[in-house]
Amino acid sequence: RTAEMLMFWISLAALVCASGARPPQSSLENDFTVDNEPEEVRSAAMKKLLEVFGMEDPPAIHGHKQPPQYMLDLYNTVADVDGVTKDPNLLEGNTVRSFFDKLRSEQVEYRFNLSTVASTEKILTAELHLFKLRPQATLAFHRHHFCQVSVYQIMDTSRGNGTKDKKLLSSRLIPIHSAGWEVFTITQAVRSWMSDEGSNLGLHVVVRTLGGSQMDKKLVRFASGRNHHQSKQPMLVLFTDDGRQSAALGSMADPHDATDTSGLLRAPAAAPSSRSARSVEHGEEEGVSMPCQRLPLYVDFEEIGWSGWIVSPRGYNAYHCKGSCPFPLGQNMRPTNHATVQSIIHALKLIKGIETPCCVPDKLFSINLLYFDDDENVVLKQYKDMVAGSCGCH
């Protein structure tokens, strides 16, 4: 484990313990006000937790807004009810951002503010999502059945004659009588905007007949941000990789060991009852420690004070590892060869000061967070190594 991940688990445990010691608070400033806990410790813990989630400060709360249905569907596709990743191969990169059109024009021109995208993020795919409306009834029986829809990047508007330099990004045939979302790939434009923010002059959509003439705008219409419901607004969806490195725990697990995670994804393990918890504590006082095992560790975002900007999940079970690794280490404790040797050295007292192996996570899984950023954009981000999948002696 890296020192950074170790610090994270220590900070996380401190936060959860602190939050469970009092009723939930509504404001971030009032959280974790445990009498015996110094303010600087709480502040450092919150700062470290934000770093784990790739943030310097929690996003501003803008009230209850409805996330785009596309983002909700995408989250439900890649994550279970607790936010745990169903399959790491489902998502391209580790971040998906959605942006609404800022021009809100009745014309087929769109502009998106990408200021919240870090310059270090690698742009993998960018998609323009447009909702095509049904043709007006009076024009339904038109001799054309398909139209050519082309998306252009606006390059220059400085010409005095009013014309614009445009670069073709995507073009394809669309049924005239259809209705619903149409998606166009515009990755090239977004990459150029990221390298030169001033070049972001927007997009222009042109609809033509198969013969190349201009299509009647009443026949082929796309929903605009000005005249239609938010659920049909033009949207840019950006798939990126923020380049954050995860803790290198892969070496702890046998790559050929196909551990079944279905139980983890279905439901978390039940927390021990107060009676069993007391008997465990009593057993430890008697010097009889429980064997290494995985126990619940629920992180409640409402208790932390983050529920105002996080859409899903409301919290998740991070789990933690606890217990002893006594000699001899059985295979149920999933020991490494090193841990087995260390336990032997300890048992035989061949070298002074050698402790027993430690009970730690040996498999970690990622979680997904769906949240609003400072600019009211909805972001889906995947965080590696956030859930202890199993525990072992190491």
Side-chain angles (χ1 to χ4, degrees):
R1 302 186 306 278
T2 63
E4 181 179 354
M5 281 303 299
L6 180 60
M7 182 60 188
F8 160 62
W9 288 113
I10 294 174
S11 301
L12 188 60
L15 287 172
V16 174
C17 291
S19 65
R22 47 141 189 79
Q25 300 285 343
S26 58
S27 66
L28 182 62
E29 291 78 7
N30 292 333
D31 278 324
F32 311 116
T33 52
V34 180
D35 294 338
N36 298 328
E37 183 128 20
E39 176 63 32
E40 56 269 20
V41 174
R42 296 194 300 274
S43 177
M46 288 302 300
K47 181 180 179 181
K48 193 63 184 178
L49 188 59
L50 283 168
E51 287 179 9
V52 169
F53 286 96
M55 304 173 186
E56 292 184 3
D57 299 294
I61 299 174
H62 302 281
H64 297 286
K65 292 184 174 293
Q66 181 64 27
Q69 188 61 44
Y70 175 84
M71 297 298 288
L72 291 172
D73 292 341
L74 183 62
Y75 173 85
N76 291 327
T77 298
V78 301
D80 72 354
V81 292
D82 294 321
V84 179
T85 303
K86 294 178 181 177
D87 183 342
N89 299 316
L90 287 176
L91 195 64
E92 183 181 15
N94 61 10
T95 306
V96 185
R97 299 179 182 274
S98 60
F99 305 86
F100 283 133
D101 171 45
K102 295 298 183 182
L103 282 181
R104 299 174 62 85
S105 170
E106 295 182 4
Q107 305 299 319
V108 279
E109 290 190 2
Y110 311 98
R111 186 176 297 178
F112 303 92
N113 182 2
L114 306 181
S115 59
T116 55
V117 184
S119 59
T120 54
E121 288 190 44
K122 181 180 180 182
I123 308 298
L124 302 176
T125 302
E127 298 175 344
L128 175 65
H129 291 225
L130 300 177
F131 189 88
K132 184 180 178 301
L133 302 167
R134 290 194 181 279
Q136 295 177 354
T138 56
L139 299 172
F141 298 100
H142 196 273
R143 63 188 181 89
H144 295 290
H145 296 284
F146 289 88
C147 61
Q148 184 83 26
V149 180
S150 302
V151 180
Y152 292 89
Q153 177 184 356
I154 301 175
M155 304 297 292
D156 186 13
T157 58
S158 60
R159 289 187 179 184
N161 58 8
T163 61
K164 302 174 183 178
D165 284 344
K166 298 181 294 184
K167 180 179 182 180
L168 180 63
L169 299 172
S170 179
S171 183
R172 74 168 190 273
L173 295 179
I174 292 178
I176 289 178
H177 299 282
S178 68
W181 287 101
E182 300 290 345
V183 179
F184 303 88
T185 301
I186 58 166
T187 310
Q188 194 175 3
V190 173
R191 285 176 178 167
S192 68
W193 295 340
M194 291 302 298
S195 60
D196 179 12
E197 186 178 349
S199 67
N200 185 356
L201 302 176
L203 303 169
H204 181 60
V205 175
V206 176
V207 183
R208 297 187 179 92
T209 66
L210 297 186
S213 59
Q214 195 79 17
M215 180 69 74
D216 189 337
K217 292 184 178 180
K218 294 182 180 180
L219 186 62
V220 178
R221 300 176 302 143
F222 294 103
S224 67
R226 174 176 296 184
N227 300 324
H228 299 92
H229 190 266
Q230 180 180 340
S231 63
K232 298 179 180 179
Q233 283 191 42
M235 183 172 63
L236 170 65
V237 178
L238 199 56
F239 296 82
T240 71
D241 193 315
D242 62 11
R244 301 176 72 225
Q245 297 297 321
S246 65
L249 281 179
S251 59
M252 289 186 176
D254 184 352
H256 302 292
D257 181 10
T259 301
D260 178 24
T261 63
S262 58
L264 170 66
L265 298 177
R266 280 197 301 268
S273 65
S274 58
R275 178 180 297 180
S276 63
R278 283 194 298 270
S279 45
V280 166
E281 292 173 359
H282 179 73
E284 289 179 344
E285 290 174 2
E286 296 286 328
V288 181
S289 177
M290 64 179 182
C292 177
Q293 58 188 280
R294 189 182 72 156
L295 298 175
L297 175 61
Y298 190 77
V299 182
D300 191 328
F301 291 133
E302 183 175 357
E303 296 254 352
I304 295 174
W306 288 4
S307 60
W309 53 272
I310 292 180
V311 179
S312 289
R314 292 302 179 187
Y316 77 101
N317 203 333
Y319 294 97
H320 73 289
C321 299
K322 186 176 182 180
S324 63
C325 296
F327 177 84
L329 296 178
Q331 286 305 309
N332 61 319
M333 295 185 180
R334 306 167 63 90
T336 60
N337 289 337
H338 180 274
T340 300
V341 172
Q342 182 174 330
S343 68
I344 294 172
I345 298 297
H346 171 80
L348 297 180
K349 296 181 173 54
L350 297 178
I351 301 176
K352 291 183 178 180
I354 301 299
E355 300 294 333
T356 59
C358 297
C359 178
V360 295
D362 60 0
K363 284 189 182 297
L364 293 171
F365 300 104
S366 61
I367 65 166
N368 300 266
L369 220 60
L370 190 69
Y371 64 91
F372 286 96
D373 66 12
D374 283 321
D375 204 28
E376 300 186 2
N377 303 312
V378 175
V379 181
L380 169 62
K381 190 177 279 284
Q382 199 168 85
Y383 299 91
K384 290 187 176 181
D385 303 341
M386 298 293 288
V387 175
S390 61
C391 300
C393 293
H394 297 277

